[in-house]
């Protein structure tokens, strides 16, 4: 449970990050609805608690002369109790091996636990990454580290499910992109075109984030992540990933289109479809009413 003081601190830190890093290539909030809910909770005493954590990405370019093109991505989530608890931060780079990435993230967490407990610390984490992360690309792991990294088979892999809301989805090319990109990235789920448009994708977190990065760059009247689910998988094997899926593939679903332009779907059928997949609670998150 989040209290208003913690929520106010989170909003203040997000505002600071937004002012310091105004460009999308530096700072991207991946769930604007979560931020809107958090602000509403702070500003209205009768407001309900936010339904999901704020997720955002900070991209960091370390000042390393020998590697000017190196970039690190910090995928961040603020737990409801933050800053009383540490933020959830995973640093990635295409130039890092799995062992190096595991080592870097372990050291970052140790730094935050020692220096930032109970205080807003996303900026401190970013500075640490800027100053130290590049060294991990070429770092030869010590024998003790090698022992640890031999356990990379049990490295925590994240399975993610994104529930995306769009004001409408009509364009045939966009609909084709959604299906083609999901197939390319081994994502399952469904796409309901019309007004409103609903897209669900599930699979490896990195693939879901790549899918969202592509989709959000298309031209939309309005599109946002309404809800996201993240599950950590020990080892991340194929069987473990498949076990988490609620959908076998990604397909377009139309539910008795009606209306003057034939662009409104039967939401009762959508609810029953979600209920069959064990996702009935999502309906209220999308439409603010209980399905039946």
């Amino acid at each position: 449970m989040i209290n208003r003081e913690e929520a106010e601190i989170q909003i203040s830190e997000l505002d600071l990050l937004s002012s310091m890093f105004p460009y999308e290539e530096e700072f991207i909030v991946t769930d604007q609805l979560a931020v809107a809910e958090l602000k509403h909770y702070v500003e209205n005493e009768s407001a309900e608690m936010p339904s999901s954590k704020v997720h955002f990405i900070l991209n960091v370019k370390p000042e390393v002369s020998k590697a000017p093109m190196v970039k690190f991505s910090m995928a961040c989530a603020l737990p409801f109790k933050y800053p009383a608890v540490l933020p959830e931060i995973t640093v990635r780079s295409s130039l890092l091996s799995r062992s190096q990435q595991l080592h870097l993230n372990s050291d970052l967490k140790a730094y935050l636990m020692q220096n930032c407990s109970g205080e807003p610390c996303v900026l401190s984490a970013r500075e640490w990454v800027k100053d130290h992360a590049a060294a991990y690309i070429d770092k030869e792991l010590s024998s003790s580290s090698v022992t640890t990294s031999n356990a990379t088979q049990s490295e925590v892999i994240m399975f993610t499910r994104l529930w995306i809301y769009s004001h409408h989805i009509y364009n045939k090319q966009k609909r084709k992109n959604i299906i083609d990109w999901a197939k390319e990235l081994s994502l399952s789920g469904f796409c309901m075109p019309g007004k409103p448009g609903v897209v669900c994708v599930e699979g490896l977190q990195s693939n879901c984030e790549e899918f969202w990065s592509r989709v959000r760059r298309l031209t939309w009247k309005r599109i946002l992540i309404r809800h996201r689910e993240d599950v950590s998988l020990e080892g991340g094997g194929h069987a473990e990933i498949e076990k988490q899926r609620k959908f076998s593939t990604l397909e377009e679903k139309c539910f008795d289109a009606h209306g003057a332009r034939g662009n409104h779907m039967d939401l009762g059928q959508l609810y029953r479809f979600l209920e069959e997949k064990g996702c009935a609670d999502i309906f209220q998150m999308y439409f603010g009413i209980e399905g039946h």
Side-chain angles (χ1 to χ4, degrees):
M1 181 176 290
I2 188 171
N3 63 45
R4 281 186 167 76
E5 182 180 357
E6 290 161 345
E8 287 172 359
I9 292 171
Q10 292 186 25
I11 291 295
S12 295
E13 188 165 30
L14 289 167
D15 287 344
L16 177 62
L17 291 169
S18 183
S19 64
M20 291 181 68
F21 311 109
Y23 302 109
E24 279 198 355
E25 59 265 28
E26 298 175 302
F27 173 60
I28 308 167
V29 175
T30 54
D31 189 351
Q32 292 288 352
L33 179 68
V35 177
E37 286 184 344
L38 193 65
K39 288 182 177 178
H40 183 68
Y41 178 71
V42 167
E43 295 166 0
N44 298 272
E45 289 190 9
S46 60
E48 294 183 2
M49 273 187 56
S51 61
S52 59
K53 297 179 286 190
V54 173
H55 289 77
F56 56 91
I57 295 172
L58 279 167
N59 291 317
V60 186
K61 292 182 180 179
E63 297 172 357
V64 183
S65 57
K66 67 176 182 179
M69 301 306 292
V70 173
K71 184 174 80 171
F72 292 89
S73 175
M74 297 172 57
C76 309
L78 302 183
F80 290 140
K81 299 298 289 181
Y82 174 81
V85 299
L86 291 176
E88 299 165 7
I89 300 177
T90 301
V91 183
R92 299 186 180 92
S93 171
S94 60
L95 297 179
L96 288 171
S97 69
R98 282 196 172 188
S99 299
Q100 291 164 336
Q101 182 175 307
L102 187 65
H103 194 188
L104 187 161
N105 282 292
S106 176
D107 287 353
L108 172 60
K109 186 171 183 179
Y111 166 79
L112 294 177
M113 290 177 69
Q114 290 175 2
N115 297 278
C116 305
S117 185
E119 298 292 333
C121 61
V122 173
L123 272 176
S124 295
R126 185 187 182 279
E127 286 303 304
W128 188 93
V129 170
K130 186 176 180 181
D131 293 341
H132 297 91
Y136 288 79
I137 293 173
D138 299 317
K139 181 173 282 190
E140 292 294 330
L141 300 180
S142 66
S143 57
S144 60
S145 299
V146 170
T147 303
T148 303
S149 59
N150 280 339
T152 48
Q153 291 299 322
S154 61
E155 179 184 350
V156 175
I157 303 295
M158 296 300 292
F159 179 92
T160 293
R161 185 176 296 111
L162 299 181
W163 296 92
I164 299 169
Y165 169 92
S166 174
H167 178 270
H168 64 264
I169 303 176
Y170 300 144
N171 185 279
K172 289 182 179 178
Q173 184 58 50
K174 288 180 184 174
R175 290 158 64 178
K176 182 176 185 301
N177 286 342
I178 287 169
I179 292 171
D180 289 348
W181 290 341
K183 184 177 180 181
E184 175 193 339
L185 296 165
S186 301
L187 302 177
S188 49
F190 72 96
C191 170
M192 185 187 82
K195 181 179 180 183
V198 174
V199 179
C200 170
V201 290
E202 58 180 8
L204 287 176
Q205 184 180 75
S206 56
N207 291 352
C208 285
E209 289 176 353
E210 173 62 22
F211 176 87
W212 172 240
S213 174
R214 296 182 192 182
V215 166
R216 68 191 297 273
R217 282 177 170 76
L218 302 175
T219 303
W220 303 94
K221 181 169 183 179
R222 185 179 184 221
I223 193 166
L224 53 87
I225 295 175
R226 180 68 81 180
H227 180 62
R228 72 179 283 158
E229 303 166 49
D230 293 300
V231 179
S232 52
L233 307 177
E234 292 293 340
H238 178 75
E240 191 69 23
I241 293 168
E242 295 307 305
K243 197 166 115 182
Q244 293 295 330
R245 292 189 191 274
K246 293 183 182 290
F247 306 90
S248 57
T249 184
L250 189 137
E251 58 182 342
E252 191 168 273
K253 302 293 292 186
C254 296
F255 302 103
D256 285 352
H258 61 281
R261 295 174 57 187
N263 58 1
H264 292 274
M265 298 295 169
D266 185 324
L267 297 184
Q269 288 188 30
L270 170 63
Y271 174 77
R272 288 188 286 278
F273 171 72
L274 293 174
E275 192 174 37
E276 288 171 7
K277 299 295 183 179
C279 309
D281 55 323
I282 295 297
F283 189 89
Q284 187 167 12
M285 293 184 190
Y286 268 101
F287 304 107
I289 57 173
E290 293 187 5
H292 56 80

